Amino acid sequence: MLHYNIIKFNFKNVIHDFLFIMLGTLIYACGYVFFQLPYHLVPGGTAGAAALVFYATAIPVQYTYWAFNVILLMVALKFLGFKFLMNTICGVISLGSFMALLQVFAPINEVGKFVPLLDNMFMSCLIGAAFEGIGLAIVFINSGSTGGTDIIAAVVNKFRDVSLGQIILCTDVCIISTSYLIFHDINLLIYSYVTLIITTVTLDYVVNNRRQSVQFFIFSEKYDEIAREIASTGRGVTIVNGIGWYTKEERKVLIVLARRRESPFIFRVIKEADPNAFVSQSKVVGVFGNGFDRIKGK
């Protein structure tokens, strides 16, 4: 029965991840198709490489995107294993599919060129990059990937002591810089770099904001009342024994890990129970386990 429950739980997590990976790739594709392609802007990764091929040859971006990633996935399969690539394959298939689907609904002019939704290049750059950053964040939070430079970085990182971020940044800069050879327009090149920066900042903000948790150390004579109120919400409380070095008196210490948004409630509980309580609050990089993020491994 235990083995069955573990399989059932894992299957539920896989379905959850796949659904959110599809949502993230849909949001990314909206920014890419509706705001980036009409202005000939180039994002990073294989999506950017596919855009370059599209601008130069008019080959639909989804075909080039899939072709690049099939090659990369075959290389990665040898070095990283199939388990690592499962969510990446889902991300690659869904992103390419949404690219194709959304182009059907994208407005075009009489010569078959995409028409911008906004008559403002900067706003299109800003909104498109924000969509891409949010979409990628949703994908990454759910253990997914859209392939491309992520795969290259993972393979290189396995054999060389180079950070993933450095590899991805260098690859993206090379792809974006290539756009100058097609358009010979420094303005487009700068806008594409701005797109990369905004996408990266948005991605980091969404991922870090979601995972931001806080840790409380609460020293109070009414520890039992405070613990009971906090625990009534479903949030866990740990009580440890402490001794004050100055007074040499024993005292109970409450340790609470919570989401940042739950902080006002916890402070209200403490204030109502014991206004003289001593409280320490600090940020933690991440909390994994029941009630927080799931522990995930590649």
Side-chain angles (χ1 to χ4, degrees), residues 6-137:
I6 292 175
I7 294 176
K8 184 177 180 181
F9 176 77
N10 289 339
F11 180 75
K12 179 181 178 181
N13 290 340
V14 169
I15 297 299
H16 173 277
D17 287 346
F18 281 5
L19 289 175
F20 275 91
I21 288 172
M22 293 177 66
L23 173 63
T25 53
L26 173 60
I27 295 173
Y28 182 98
C30 287
Y32 180 78
V33 172
F34 294 135
F35 297 97
Q36 303 288 328
L37 289 183
Y39 277 113
H40 293 170
L41 299 177
V42 180
T46 48
L52 290 174
V53 175
F54 171 71
Y55 300 145
T57 66
I59 297 176
V61 289
Q62 64 270 18
Y63 298 138
T64 311
Y65 173 78
W66 278 329
F68 283 147
N69 277 287
V70 165
I71 296 172
L72 290 172
L73 286 169
M74 291 174 64
V75 173
L77 182 62
K78 178 179 180 181
F79 298 106
L80 303 177
F82 181 74
K83 185 176 181 181
F84 170 80
L85 298 177
M86 282 183 60
N87 286 0
T88 300
I89 293 171
C90 174
V92 169
I93 293 174
S94 61
L95 180 54
S97 300
F98 285 130
M99 285 179 182
L101 178 64
L102 293 178
Q103 287 180 71
V104 176
F105 299 99
I108 58 175
N109 57 23
E110 61 277 2
V111 295
K113 299 293 184 179
F114 289 118
V115 178
L117 291 182
L118 297 176
D119 190 21
N120 186 304
M121 190 172 184
F122 177 74
M123 289 304 298
S124 288
C125 169
L126 186 66
I127 295 174
F131 268 65
E132 291 174 358
I134 293 171
L136 286 176

Side-chain angles (χ1 to χ4, degrees), residues 109-234:
N109 57 23
E110 61 277 2
V111 295
K113 299 293 184 179
F114 289 118
V115 178
L117 291 182
L118 297 176
D119 190 21
N120 186 304
M121 190 172 184
F122 177 74
M123 289 304 298
S124 288
C125 169
L126 186 66
I127 295 174
F131 268 65
E132 291 174 358
I134 293 171
L136 286 176
I138 294 174
V139 172
F140 291 161
I141 287 171
N142 292 278
S143 300
S145 168
T146 55
T149 50
D150 298 343
I151 298 176
I152 297 173
V155 173
V156 174
N157 179 255
K158 185 173 182 177
F159 299 100
R160 294 288 185 270
D161 187 21
V162 184
S163 72
L164 297 175
Q166 290 176 331
I167 301 169
I168 293 174
L169 178 62
C170 291
T171 307
D172 287 345
V173 168
C174 290
I175 291 172
I176 292 174
S177 299
T178 306
S179 66
Y180 185 78
L181 301 177
I182 299 176
F183 301 110
H184 304 287
D185 188 339
I186 192 66
N187 291 320
L188 284 177
L189 182 61
I190 292 174
Y191 272 115
S192 295
Y193 284 135
V194 171
T195 297
L196 176 62
I197 294 170
I198 295 173
T199 299
T200 304
V201 171
T202 305
L203 167 64
D204 289 342
Y205 175 80
V206 174
V207 171
N208 294 333
N209 189 64
R210 179 186 179 276
R211 290 180 174 175
Q212 203 168 71
S213 301
V214 292
Q215 179 177 261
F216 286 91
F217 286 96
I218 306 169
F219 303 81
S220 172
E221 294 180 357
K222 298 183 179 180
Y223 66 90
D224 53 345
E225 183 178 343
I226 296 173
R228 185 167 56 252
E229 287 297 323
I230 295 176
S232 67
T233 65

Side-chain angles (χ1 to χ4, degrees), residues 211-215 258-260 282-287 292:
R211 290 180 174 175
Q212 203 168 71
S213 301
V214 292
Q215 179 177 261
R259 298 289 188 188
R260 187 180 62 175
S282 60
K283 288 183 181 179
V284 291
V285 175
V287 180
F292 294 91

